[in-house]
Amino acid sequence: MASVLCTGLMAGLFFAYDISVMPGLAELDDRTYAAAMQRFNAVIDASPLFGLVFLATLGLMVASAITAFRKKRHAVAIPLVVAAVCYLVVLVITVAVNLPLNAELAALGNPATAKDLPSVIEDFKSVWVPVNVVRTVLCLLSLGALCSALLRYGRATAPLRPV
């Protein structure tokens, strides 16, 4: 259940960026866009709660999968593994793509004095935005697999009813 909740939080965060934050920022001038993204990134990077949920999500999935395998509940374990793999890819994408882009944006310093800002922002958007959509889809796939595992677990542990 904790895996479902944490994955739902992460999917919701990525989804919110997809449908509101990034489209809203896209309507702003480059300086305002850069300054806002720099602030968003600084706030989320400094959030212990975000860090805990972001990293604990995978740990919870892996622990659940190991427990299910040990109890020989393969019908439950398989979707847990699928969920963990999907979320692991989210982590890899975040570390390999999003975080370096965020660091480059932070390295600009004050957007008002940054050189070649329109080009930098266009390069940032052209990668960050579609990659975030991929993270959202992967989190949703992971969430679906977790829900499948929960349903299978419920069926396997439900008491038998007399006919």
Side-chain angles (χ1 to χ4, degrees), residues 5 11 34 67 74-75 80-81 84 92 97 102 105 113 118 131 138-139 147 154:
L5 294 173
T67 300
H74 295 120
L80 289 169
V81 170
V92 169
V97 179
N102 294 347
L105 199 59
T113 59
V131 166
L138 286 166
C139 272
C147 289

Side-chain angles (χ1 to χ4, degrees), residues 129-154:
V129 171
V131 166
N132 195 66
V133 171
V134 171
R135 293 192 300 174
T136 303
V137 169
L138 286 166
C139 272
L140 290 173
L141 291 171
S142 182
L143 188 57
L146 289 169
C147 289
S148 172
L150 270 179
L151 289 171
R152 292 166 185 226
Y153 178 81

Side-chain angles (χ1 to χ4, degrees), residues 44-89:
I44 205 165
D45 288 348
S47 170
L49 183 57
F50 169 77
L52 176 67
V53 172
F54 184 66
L55 296 174
T57 300
L58 181 63
L60 290 165
M61 289 179 205
V62 170
S64 297
I66 290 169
T67 300
F69 272 118
R70 285 186 177 163
K71 292 184 176 183
K72 304 213 183 308
R73 293 185 175 151
H74 295 120
V76 174
I78 299 300
L80 289 169
V81 170
V82 169
V85 168
C86 288
Y87 193 76
L88 177 62
V89 175

